[in-house]
Amino acid sequence: MSENKLTSDLLRGHTDTIILRLLSEADRYGYEIVKLIAERSGGEYELKEATMYSSVRRLEMDEDIEWHWGDESQGGRRKYFRITEKGKTTYDRNTRNWGYAKRVLENLL
């Protein structure tokens, strides 16, 4: 493992917020979320599908996201996730908390 590789431990508490960020841009399906996280991290972080679906279930239970079936004309139907108004509020709160934690850690490290 690379010395600068992100560990899952470092990002574990932020998976929900990362997913909410992606859903704030557009409705997305599961594999698309996993793929975008890998792409946007430059391949430095790969979210496992099982972890992503655990996060999605938690976000659904908290009513931060909801889902709908896509209407693809080719292939199977996909389950798309969308952020709710409550989810947007959660995302804003989580990003403020992240900014605060980042400032504290920068001072400590």
Side-chain angles (χ1 to χ4, degrees), residues 3 6 13-14 21 35 41 47 49 52-53 57 62 65 67-68 75 80 83-84 91 94 102 107-108:
E3 184 177 319
L6 291 174
H14 304 287
R21 165 74 167 120
K35 190 171 124 186
S41 71
L47 182 66
E49 282 190 50
M52 188 274 305
Y53 282 112
R57 279 192 297 279
D62 291 342
I65 66 171
W67 66 272
H68 62 93
Y80 282 82
I83 193 168
T84 63
Y91 172 74
N94 290 355
K102 181 179 168 193
N107 290 332
L108 293 171

Side-chain angles (χ1 to χ4, degrees), residues 11 13 15 21 23 26-27 36 53 67 72 77 90-91 96 101-102:
L11 294 178
T15 303
R21 165 74 167 120
L23 295 179
D27 294 1
L36 279 170
Y53 282 112
W67 66 272
E72 283 75 25
R77 288 180 20 176
T90 299
Y91 172 74
R96 283 193 310 274
K102 181 179 168 193

Side-chain angles (χ1 to χ4, degrees), residues 1-8 10-11 41-45:
M1 175 151 88
S2 163
E3 184 177 319
N4 294 325
K5 190 87 168 164
L6 291 174
T7 65
S8 58
L10 183 61
L11 294 178
S41 71
E44 292 291 325
Y45 181 64

